[in-house]
Amino acid sequence: MSKERARRRAEREAERARAMRANEERQARRARRHALLARLTPRPVRFYRQGGLLARRHRAQNAVVGVGFLLVQVVVWLVWGSFPLSFGVLILSLLLAPVVVTLAFDRRI
């Protein structure tokens, strides 16, 4: 009887040792995978906006130009509704936007 108990105890200990080895291998694989992913993922880049008076003025001017550009596109689309005409106005607006910005916001004039 004592030999049988010793054999069963040895089997249980062997099974427990196999389970512990498997668990350690699983944790090691997980740690290697985590280390690899940590090296491969890019770090977040933070963009800070300029906070000075000129930067705020520049953002406001860009907002005015953007709203004006969208307003022109919407008005042309609502009034005429023709795709070729809307596309032509879009191209013309893209070409004239720098001219409008220069004439409206240039401080040298």
Side-chain angles (χ1 to χ4, degrees), residues 13-25:
E13 288 175 359
E15 181 61 32
R16 190 177 307 132
R18 274 194 299 265
M20 286 178 63
R21 263 187 271 121
N23 189 21
E24 289 172 356
E25 289 174 2

Side-chain angles (χ1 to χ4, degrees), residues 23-37:
N23 189 21
E24 289 172 356
E25 289 174 2
R26 198 175 315 118
Q27 287 178 350
R29 277 195 309 269
R30 187 178 298 142
R32 284 192 306 267
R33 185 174 55 237
H34 181 69
L36 178 67
L37 288 176

Side-chain angles (χ1 to χ4, degrees), residues 53-108:
L53 177 65
L54 292 177
R56 281 185 296 202
R57 181 182 299 158
H58 191 68
R59 281 194 297 273
Q61 290 172 354
N62 286 342
V64 167
V65 170
V67 168
F69 179 82
L70 288 175
L71 187 64
V72 166
Q73 300 307 313
V74 168
V75 166
V76 167
W77 182 67
L78 288 176
V79 171
W80 285 287
S82 167
F83 179 74
L85 183 66
S86 296
F87 186 71
V89 170
L90 173 70
I91 298 299
L92 189 64
S93 297
L94 288 173
L95 291 174
L96 290 178
V99 175
V100 171
V101 168
T102 303
L103 291 177
F105 301 121
D106 193 16
R107 299 188 61 99
R108 291 177 287 175

